[in-house]
Amino acid sequence: MTRVESKENPVGPVARMAAAVAKRMRTKKGLTQEQLGIQMGFTGAAISAMERLIHPVSDEMLDHLEHALGGGTGIFEEMRELVRMEKLPEQFREYAPIEQKAVALCLYANHVVHGLFQTEAYARALIAGSYPEPTPERAEELVVGRMARKALFDRKQVCEIELILDESVLKRVIGDEVVMREQRAYLAECARRRNVNLQVLPLDAGLGGEYAGDRGDLNVVKTPAHDHVTYLEIQGESLLITDRTKVSTHRQRYARIRAQALDPRRSLGFIEELAGVRR
């Protein structure tokens, strides 16, 4: 049967491979699409749509394919991570593997909570409310991809992560107050991690006329080769900077932002107070 790819849901090469491998393994086992669907908790039509590339394979479907067809090989589980990366926003795909392999991250966020530190509810509210408005399916893909980035926190080879949040980020309500209480409490939880340093840049940081965070979000990455790169993103566009002179300037600017921020202990207390956390 001819493959028909949805224009609304373009299928990447890894998702194509997953669909082809699933179809081949299903056929080898002598299963119809309906029979495989029953085993996985999906309809036969859903299996057909996945194999024909009408709907790209979902994270949930890959999980079920591993149990139904993987036979202990882990093939679909490996593809799961690659497909997640493939479904990330186009402007983020080049940076995503750099972030996941980083030795250290120095992050500054002054509009919304940094993606690595977002709760699922916060991310879902933020993504669903963006413009252009994504379809529910696409929004869910983006949420899943964003949550998958959190594997970095518990990576065996520890990544040292610094995050400086502008105070306005903590007070800007995304979703509703329930979402924000959960988000603030989660930030406090993250701040207690041994590999995380979280600081708050107060609203009065510019009282003396110097506001180091005036140029917006900043991500400085230390790579496994102990080089540094900068990642910037605004209005759906991104820039990955490797020029050493420019990156050096970004590192110095980050140091100035950190110098103007509350120290980690005071920052944690500030976040806990906003979250209503009692210790």
Side-chain angles (χ1 to χ4, degrees), residues 168-211:
S168 61
V169 172
L170 295 167
K171 294 181 175 178
R172 178 174 294 111
V173 177
I174 301 295
D176 57 34
E177 286 296 344
V178 174
V179 171
M180 288 307 300
R181 278 198 300 273
E182 180 188 60
Q183 177 63 72
R184 292 163 185 148
Y186 179 67
L187 285 168
E189 179 185 326
C190 289
R192 297 187 197 101
R193 285 176 170 268
R194 303 186 82 175
N195 63 322
V196 173
N197 184 78
L198 201 158
Q199 294 178 248
V200 175
L201 184 66
L203 290 176
D204 63 3
L207 279 177
E210 293 185 9
Y211 174 49

Side-chain angles (χ1 to χ4, degrees), residues 8 23 32 40 90 96 136 142 160-161 177 207 217 240 248:
E8 292 77 22
K23 182 177 181 179
T32 65
M40 294 171 53
E90 185 176 355
L142 292 172
E160 297 295 332
I161 305 173
E177 286 296 344
L207 279 177
D217 292 358
L240 187 63
S248 177

Side-chain angles (χ1 to χ4, degrees), residues 20-241:
V21 171
K23 182 177 181 179
R24 187 172 300 175
M25 295 178 76
R26 173 182 65 77
T27 303
K28 187 175 181 180
K29 285 180 174 286
L31 296 172
T32 65
Q33 292 172 339
E34 288 74 16
Q35 289 170 332
L36 177 59
I38 291 171
Q39 286 189 27
M40 294 171 53
F42 288 82
T43 64
I47 302 300
S48 174
M50 179 271 295
E51 291 183 354
R52 296 170 59 205
L53 305 178
I54 295 175
H55 295 297
V57 63
S58 68
D59 189 73
E60 181 186 9
M61 187 175 282
L62 282 167
D63 182 41
H64 287 276
L65 281 168
E66 179 61 38
H67 290 90
L69 298 176
T73 62
I75 185 169
F76 291 106
E77 188 60 36
E78 290 184 19
M79 288 186 185
R80 194 177 175 189
E81 182 62 29
L82 294 173
V83 169
R84 283 174 181 169
M85 298 287 281
E86 197 168 68
K87 290 180 179 179
L88 291 171
E90 185 176 355
Q91 74 273 11
F92 188 73
R93 290 175 196 164
E94 184 180 6
Y95 173 69
I98 296 174
E99 178 185 76
Q100 289 300 303
K101 295 176 183 176
V103 172
L105 294 173
C106 293
L107 315 169
Y108 169 60
N110 73 344
H111 297 300
V112 296
V113 174
H114 192 280
L116 266 178
F117 288 80
Q118 291 176 10
T119 64
E120 186 171 331
Y122 184 99
R124 183 169 285 108
L126 194 63
I127 290 169
S130 62
Y131 181 84
E133 182 180 346
T135 64
E137 294 78 15
R138 179 56 178 156
E140 195 59 28
E141 286 179 354
L142 292 172
V143 171
V144 169
R146 191 163 295 180
M147 294 303 102
R149 292 165 61 189
K150 294 180 182 294
L152 184 62
F153 284 113
D154 300 306
R155 197 182 63 191
K156 190 172 183 180
Q157 183 182 358
V158 176
C159 178
E160 297 295 332
I161 305 173
E162 291 187 8
L163 171 66
I164 302 172
L165 280 176
D166 196 277
E167 181 181 339
S168 61
V169 172
L170 295 167
K171 294 181 175 178
R172 178 174 294 111
V173 177
I174 301 295
D176 57 34
E177 286 296 344
V178 174
V179 171
M180 288 307 300
R181 278 198 300 273
E182 180 188 60
Q183 177 63 72
R184 292 163 185 148
Y186 179 67
L187 285 168
E189 179 185 326
C190 289
R192 297 187 197 101
R193 285 176 170 268
R194 303 186 82 175
N195 63 322
V196 173
N197 184 78
L198 201 158
Q199 294 178 248
V200 175
L201 184 66
L203 290 176
D204 63 3
L207 279 177
E210 293 185 9
Y211 174 49
D214 64 330
R215 302 200 183 189
D217 292 358
L218 180 62
N219 302 273
V220 180
V221 183
K222 185 176 182 180
T223 71
H226 299 284
D227 292 322
H228 289 85
V229 299
T230 299
Y231 176 73
L232 305 174
E233 187 174 316
I234 185 170
Q235 294 295 328
E237 302 295 333
S238 64
L239 186 62
L240 187 63
I241 301 170

